[in-house]
Amino acid sequence: MTDNRYTNMRTFFMTGVLACAATLTALLAGCGRTDTELPRSEGSAELDAALAAYIREADEKDININSIIIIQNGKVTGEAYLNGWKAEMPHQMWSTSKSFTSFAVCFAIEEGLLSLDDRIADIFPEESGAVLDTLTDAAYRQNLMEADIKDLLVMASGQKHDPTYVLGERYSKDGLAGIDSLDTFLRKHGKDLITDFFTVPFEEKPGTYNCYNSIGSFMLSAAVQKVTGEKVADYLYPRLFKPLGIERPQWDEVQGINCGGWGLWLKPEDMAKTGVMMLGHGRYAGRQVLPARYLAEASESFFSWDLPSGSTSDRDRYHATGYGYQIWQNPDAFYTAGMWGQFIYVFPGMNAVIAATAEVKDDDSKESALIWKHIVPVLRKESETSL
């Protein structure tokens, strides 16, 4: 997608001199044309065969793959859209949304509106105070008061049990049918999700215990909205989405707040562009979109798990996971991960990105296993060949 502002400006002027002046002004302002589309290139015969094998095995095993885009050395070298999905169709990102919430936190930090050590209880004093007034356990009170933005980013708020399930079980007794009806349920029953987040006990010292926490990601979204005055989707549009050439996306809401931990809808190419930006240390199409220092820290492992049974095989490498600021890591890649198979894999050592969507509702690791079995070895080989 080309920025047409200066093209349109030139048509207004009637002389070549003025046209040149307008162009010069644009260049001096650093606002020259920027192509945000991903370039395409024919993939190697080996990659084509690997992609075909990936699709064939997925079909044979009823693994419901929707799309896959493969980028290496800055160009799309393979892509496929399956099972009724098309390139222009936005897909529910599920927990891949979390990484975009982390990017919003990054921008708020850069603009001096938030910091990693801001305590979430201080950002929401009324909601946290209502819960603190009911607590008699001194340790729980102290842990709740100490949990900060960084703790939420690395999913170590101190809550030993995932609030998503704790609150889900609590709400289901009153008729909650599923996460898609959460907003309706809360309004019907006069509940506030921010306040209820604080009611899930903070049993561990923040920063010391890792527990997956989608409501914690919702709290990050709420915090960004509180300090910026904008919903995360709106806040990210001029800072992230527009520079990447991504149309303003849909992001589902709970009580007027973008869900944070889920609810973002993106096209496969939007995911691929994001991966290319992440591979480029936050840079895309000649522009520094996301601060490199934040992305470097966000993609570190603050909590790690070992390979299964000490395996070092390609098939098992994707199992070795660590967690940073709402971003996962394994020995080959750092990546976003969404329920049922929404992945943006970034392979720095292979100068490659894989964006994939799926509906693997029984076990989305089946999709990852196929990617590591068929696609990753070829990318590794071709990166070594190009050295």
Side-chain angles (χ1 to χ4, degrees), residues 168 171-182 185:
Y171 294 160
S172 66
K173 296 176 183 177
D174 291 327
L176 178 66
I179 198 167
D180 291 336
S181 61
L182 178 59
F185 171 86

Side-chain angles (χ1 to χ4, degrees), residues 296-373:
E297 187 171 342
S299 56
E300 292 179 8
S301 290
F302 289 84
F303 293 92
S304 300
W305 293 264
D306 293 329
L307 283 163
S309 303
S311 171
T312 58
S313 70
D314 278 341
R315 190 184 186 287
D316 287 336
R317 287 176 72 86
Y318 71 91
H319 282 300
T321 55
Y323 202 71
Y325 296 170
Q326 312 276 284
I327 294 174
W328 295 90
Q329 302 84 28
N330 67 29
D332 295 309
F334 61 93
Y335 59 99
T336 77
M339 184 170 67
W340 300 336
Q342 326 317 317
F343 296 108
I344 305 172
Y345 287 111
V346 180
F347 301 89
M350 305 174 206
N351 198 27
V353 170
I354 296 175
T357 64
E359 295 288 332
V360 191
K361 296 187 178 181
D362 59 338
D363 180 4
D364 57 37
S365 71
K366 293 178 180 178
E367 177 193 11
S368 298
L370 291 186
I371 290 173
W372 252 255
K373 177 180 179 180

Side-chain angles (χ1 to χ4, degrees), residues 245-293:
I246 297 174
E247 295 177 1
R248 190 182 297 271
Q250 174 186 338
W251 200 326
D252 299 337
E253 299 179 7
V254 173
Q255 296 186 315
I257 299 167
N258 292 137
C259 299
W262 67 98
L264 177 62
W265 296 74
L266 293 175
K267 298 173 185 177
E269 184 140 341
D270 298 338
M271 300 169 68
K273 289 177 178 180
T274 303
V276 170
M277 179 274 294
M278 295 166 73
L279 178 65
H281 308 286
R283 194 171 183 81
Y284 187 83
R287 174 177 175 178
Q288 192 70 38
V289 177
L290 194 75
R293 61 182 177 277

Side-chain angles (χ1 to χ4, degrees), residues 98-384:
K98 292 178 171 65
S99 302
F100 289 83
T101 299
S102 175
F103 298 155
V105 170
C106 166
F107 288 119
I109 290 173
E110 285 295 304
E111 293 168 16
L113 303 173
L114 205 59
S115 71
L116 290 175
D117 57 6
D118 281 347
R119 297 180 178 185
I120 195 69
D122 293 337
I123 297 173
F124 299 102
E126 292 183 9
E127 294 88 344
S128 62
V131 176
L132 285 168
D133 288 343
T134 69
L135 296 180
T136 57
D137 188 300
Y140 285 12
R141 287 177 57 86
Q142 188 63 30
N143 291 339
L144 186 158
M145 290 188 292
E146 288 185 358
D148 60 26
I149 292 296
K150 183 176 180 178
D151 296 327
L152 291 178
L153 284 169
V154 300
M155 293 194 177
S157 65
Q159 292 166 311
K160 198 171 183 178
H161 302 284
D162 184 354
T164 313
Y165 293 100
V166 174
L167 295 178
E169 290 180 5
R170 189 186 302 173
Y171 294 160
S172 66
K173 296 176 183 177
D174 291 327
L176 178 66
I179 198 167
D180 291 336
S181 61
L182 178 59
D183 188 62
T184 301
F185 171 86
L186 292 168
R187 284 188 280 108
K188 178 181 177 181
H189 291 271
K191 294 181 179 293
D192 177 68
L193 189 56
I194 293 175
T195 301
D196 283 355
F197 167 80
F198 290 113
T199 68
V200 179
F202 290 69
E203 300 176 64
E204 303 289 336
K205 182 177 176 59
T208 66
Y209 186 89
N210 183 233
C211 176
Y212 200 78
N213 192 334
S214 290
I215 305 299
S217 302
F218 166 81
M219 293 297 294
L220 289 171
S221 176
V224 170
Q225 184 168 325
K226 179 77 176 287
V227 301
T228 66
E230 294 183 87
K231 295 175 184 178
V232 163
D234 295 329
Y235 183 63
L236 280 178
Y237 179 68
R239 295 165 175 81
L240 179 71
F241 296 130
K242 188 175 181 180
L244 296 184
I246 297 174
E247 295 177 1
R248 190 182 297 271
Q250 174 186 338
W251 200 326
D252 299 337
E253 299 179 7
V254 173
Q255 296 186 315
I257 299 167
N258 292 137
C259 299
W262 67 98
L264 177 62
W265 296 74
L266 293 175
K267 298 173 185 177
E269 184 140 341
D270 298 338
M271 300 169 68
K273 289 177 178 180
T274 303
V276 170
M277 179 274 294
M278 295 166 73
L279 178 65
H281 308 286
R283 194 171 183 81
Y284 187 83
R287 174 177 175 178
Q288 192 70 38
V289 177
L290 194 75
R293 61 182 177 277
Y294 180 89
L295 188 57
E297 187 171 342
S299 56
E300 292 179 8
S301 290
F302 289 84
F303 293 92
S304 300
W305 293 264
D306 293 329
L307 283 163
S309 303
S311 171
T312 58
S313 70
D314 278 341
R315 190 184 186 287
D316 287 336
R317 287 176 72 86
Y318 71 91
H319 282 300
T321 55
Y323 202 71
Y325 296 170
Q326 312 276 284
I327 294 174
W328 295 90
Q329 302 84 28
N330 67 29
D332 295 309
F334 61 93
Y335 59 99
T336 77
M339 184 170 67
W340 300 336
Q342 326 317 317
F343 296 108
I344 305 172
Y345 287 111
V346 180
F347 301 89
M350 305 174 206
N351 198 27
V353 170
I354 296 175
T357 64
E359 295 288 332
V360 191
K361 296 187 178 181
D362 59 338
D363 180 4
D364 57 37
S365 71
K366 293 178 180 178
E367 177 193 11
S368 298
L370 291 186
I371 290 173
W372 252 255
K373 177 180 179 180
H374 295 291
I375 309 297
V376 173
V378 176
L379 294 178
R380 181 179 293 112
K381 180 180 178 180
E382 294 191 348
S383 69
E384 293 169 350

Side-chain angles (χ1 to χ4, degrees), residues 26-48:
L27 292 172
L28 291 175
C31 298
R33 297 183 183 183
T34 300
D35 187 355
T36 59
E37 294 301 313
L38 290 173
R40 259 81 177 164
S41 175
E42 287 189 11
S44 67
E46 191 169 3
L47 181 62
D48 290 345

